[in-house]
Amino acid sequence: MKYQYAHPEFFRDWESPDLKKCNGRIVLYGAGRRGSVAAHCLNKMGVEFICFCDSDRKKQGKEYCNHRVIAPDELADKYSDMAIIITTNHFYTVAEELRKKGFLHVFSSVSLFLEIDLEGYEMYSEEYTIRNIDQYFYSFIHYNENISYIPQVQIPVTMRCTLRCKECNSYIPYVKKAEDFEEGSIIFAIDKLLTAYDKIGNVLLYGGEPLLYPFLDRLIYNFSMNDRIEKVTIVTNGTILPNKALQEEMKSDKVLVRISDYGKLSSKKDELLFVLKEAGVHTEITDFKYWNKNPTVDVLNETEEQLREKVKNCCALANMITLIKGKIFFCGFSAFYDYFKAVPDFGDNYIDLLESKEQGENLRKKIENIRKMGKDGLPKQACRFCKFNNFEDDLPVAEQTKEHYEFKRIY
């Protein structure tokens, strides 16, 4: 299978390494999912690289894709004159640190990832790999204000779920009374967002469990019929089958159903996959190897330097907007902190599209101003209470709980 990024024009002027000249003198920074794809790309081109470098201590000293993983200190000591190709979403942060240490040949993986021949790549499924590469490109786009494009808007449509995962990204164990979010408000907010931007790359509908949402077919129809929305993704846990009306809307070429494989917990995964494929629906199975602990809140009293470092490493840099009850947030964690009233309503990390009077260019200016989180290293107020740990722990996938959790009171 050949992968091609949908918008190569966004990166027409980006600097690329001369791979022939650098052959045998390359280090890949980031021994993760995208690092494995970069290694595959170089191998396809017949280009050798020396090793991986990664700041994660659990990876250092081990082998990944048949190459040793070294620490940043060893990189500085032995390979400062090599070409460093950064494979992580944190390109700007890593590149800045390397250049401060005197590295002169620092590149992104953009040129490697614009077109990928995935034949022979077996680390992850093709669908999952493509999604991760798309997300790599997402992380760059908001740094160029000339690009009128929102890579992804992720929308929890319901807080009802068939599972109760301890580390749920939507914090389901914290829910006291589950609710479905109002269909009209979701559509209105997306329509308003599109007055400010030319296109949205992907509208991702999740939950809770989105197949419990009674108006999911209407949302899929509305968004898939919109020429300015490129893709619609539904994320389900494999416990429910869609009705016929829902299957019909899912048949659109723009729709992808992503099934999270939680083993026995995804009790109808195989049947769901069969039904969707019989209906001609595009599907992806996401087979998680591990989960990470969701951050919660506390009074942390971090220094400004600690705050900036935390923000620079935050996954919010992946540039995916979260929409809850008409508000767009630029960090999924803070979206749920706000929803559960876990932090005060500072108002500096979201825009209420239902209440805002701005639209068009004025709305875009307002959005871009708030979107600078991480870009300028300045934390938002909610960041001061977020116990983000940079995903340093590997936990069991979809571990269930019967407990009801509550956020710590900080005000």
Side-chain angles (χ1 to χ4, degrees):
M1 180 180 178
K2 297 284 182 71
Y3 165 84
Q4 289 186 315
Y5 178 59
H7 295 284
E9 69 275 11
F10 293 167
F11 300 95
R12 190 173 290 122
D13 299 326
W14 275 58
E15 184 181 11
S16 302
D18 185 335
L19 295 176
K20 288 185 178 179
K21 186 176 180 181
C22 297
N23 195 350
R25 298 179 57 79
I26 296 170
V27 175
L28 295 180
Y29 197 107
R33 292 164 294 182
R34 297 169 191 90
S36 70
V37 178
H40 169 80
C41 292
L42 292 177
N43 182 57
K44 279 281 186 180
M45 298 174 188
V47 175
E48 298 288 338
F49 68 100
I50 301 168
C51 60
F52 288 95
C53 177
D54 203 291
S55 59
D56 187 342
R57 293 179 182 177
K58 296 193 301 294
K59 298 178 181 179
Q60 294 165 8
K62 298 180 180 178
E63 282 213 347
Y64 188 67
C65 298
N66 300 315
H67 286 71
R68 192 165 61 97
V69 182
I70 66 172
D73 286 345
E74 185 176 346
L75 180 71
D77 290 341
K78 296 183 179 179
Y79 303 112
S80 60
D81 60 339
M82 301 297 170
I84 313 299
I85 299 179
I86 299 171
T87 71
T88 77
N89 278 349
H90 302 287
F91 169 76
Y92 289 100
T93 300
V94 174
E96 180 184 4
E97 291 174 354
L98 291 176
R99 286 168 181 147
K100 283 180 180 177
K101 292 177 180 178
F103 286 83
L104 300 177
H105 313 292
V106 179
F107 304 93
S108 73
S109 296
V110 163
S111 60
L112 292 181
F113 291 164
L114 285 173
E115 293 186 16
I116 305 172
D117 180 357
L118 288 168
E119 183 182 359
Y121 177 77
E122 298 178 347
M123 185 75 75
Y124 296 96
S125 71
E126 289 181 348
E127 296 87 355
Y128 184 61
T129 300
I130 288 168
R131 176 159 57 87
N132 276 280
I133 298 303
D134 279 344
Q135 289 174 352
Y136 180 81
F137 288 110
Y138 291 173
S139 65
F140 292 105
I141 290 173
H142 80 295
Y143 283 82
N144 186 342
E145 294 180 2
N146 294 319
I147 299 175
S148 181
Y149 183 83
I150 297 287
Q152 179 163 291
V153 182
Q154 45 196 38
I155 308 172
V157 295
T158 181
M159 296 302 284
R160 293 187 293 139
C161 196
T162 53
L163 298 178
R164 195 173 176 82
C165 300
K166 185 176 180 180
E167 299 300 338
C168 172
N169 278 340
S170 298
Y171 295 86
I172 294 300
Y174 293 77
V175 173
K176 292 182 179 178
K177 185 177 179 181
E179 67 174 315
D180 295 329
F181 296 119
E182 208 274 314
E183 167 206 4
S185 297
I186 293 173
I187 293 172
F188 178 88
I190 292 296
D191 286 345
K192 192 163 188 178
L193 192 57
L194 283 169
T195 70
Y197 292 87
D198 291 342
K199 285 193 174 184
I200 295 173
N202 183 31
V203 172
L204 185 145
L205 306 173
Y206 67 117
E209 171 48 54
L211 297 192
L212 291 173
Y213 185 66
F215 310 115
L216 186 61
D217 57 338
R218 298 185 197 173
L219 290 183
I220 295 172
Y221 173 80
N222 184 283
F223 297 144
S224 63
M225 292 298 290
N226 192 322
D227 291 339
R228 296 169 65 194
I229 295 173
E230 295 178 339
K231 186 167 65 173
V232 181
T233 301
I234 301 98
V235 182
T236 177
N237 62 23
T239 61
I240 299 179
L241 301 180
N243 60 37
K244 291 293 184 181
L246 193 49
Q247 289 180 43
E248 284 300 313
E249 299 305 336
M250 289 176 170
K251 288 181 181 180
S252 167
D253 284 341
K254 291 168 67 170
V255 173
L256 171 71
V257 178
R258 209 169 89 200
I259 305 170
S260 299
D261 184 357
Y262 300 149
K264 292 182 180 179
L265 291 171
S266 299
S267 57
K268 294 191 176 179
K269 179 199 69 177
D270 293 337
E271 189 178 355
L272 174 60
L273 187 61
F274 176 80
V275 166
L276 293 178
K277 287 193 172 181
E278 282 289 297
V281 177
H282 299 297
T283 59
E284 175 199 323
I285 297 288
T286 303
D287 181 13
F288 292 95
K289 309 299 181 188
Y290 54 84
W291 271 15
N292 299 108
K293 187 173 181 60
N294 264 355
T296 54
V297 298
D298 203 345
V299 178
L300 301 174
N301 297 317
E302 293 170 317
T303 66
E304 287 297 314
E305 183 179 352
Q306 288 172 325
L307 276 166
R308 285 175 180 266
E309 189 65 23
K310 180 170 69 176
V311 170
K312 282 183 178 181
N313 288 295
C314 181
C315 60
L317 296 183
N319 196 25
M320 290 175 278
I321 290 172
T322 300
L323 170 67
I324 296 184
K325 303 191 86 165
K327 294 179 179 178
I328 52 170
F329 294 81
F330 307 94
C331 166
F333 299 132
S334 70
F336 286 102
Y337 295 163
D338 181 87
Y339 176 75
F340 288 103
K341 296 181 171 53
V343 296
D345 185 358
F346 295 110
D348 67 341
N349 62 336
Y350 70 85
I351 293 172
D352 191 333
L353 293 176
L354 304 184
E355 298 294 331
S356 177
K357 304 299 182 185
E358 292 91 352
Q359 57 180 337
E361 188 59 31
N362 289 335
L363 176 60
R364 185 177 173 190
K365 287 179 181 177
K366 188 173 182 179
I367 290 172
E368 292 299 332
N369 186 52
I370 293 184
R371 239 172 146 191
K372 289 180 179 178
M373 183 175 64
K375 183 176 178 179
D376 54 13
L378 295 173
K380 303 303 179 186
Q381 290 299 321
C383 301
R384 299 178 184 276
F385 303 96
C386 181
K387 296 171 69 176
F388 178 69
N389 68 354
N390 202 19
F391 300 137
E392 292 180 353
D393 40 24
D394 298 344
L395 302 177
V397 172
E399 183 180 4
Q400 297 296 289
T401 181
K402 293 182 179 179
E403 293 183 51
H404 173 77
Y405 299 156
E406 292 188 4
F407 287 98
K408 183 174 181 178
R409 295 289 298 178
I410 61 172
Y411 66 102

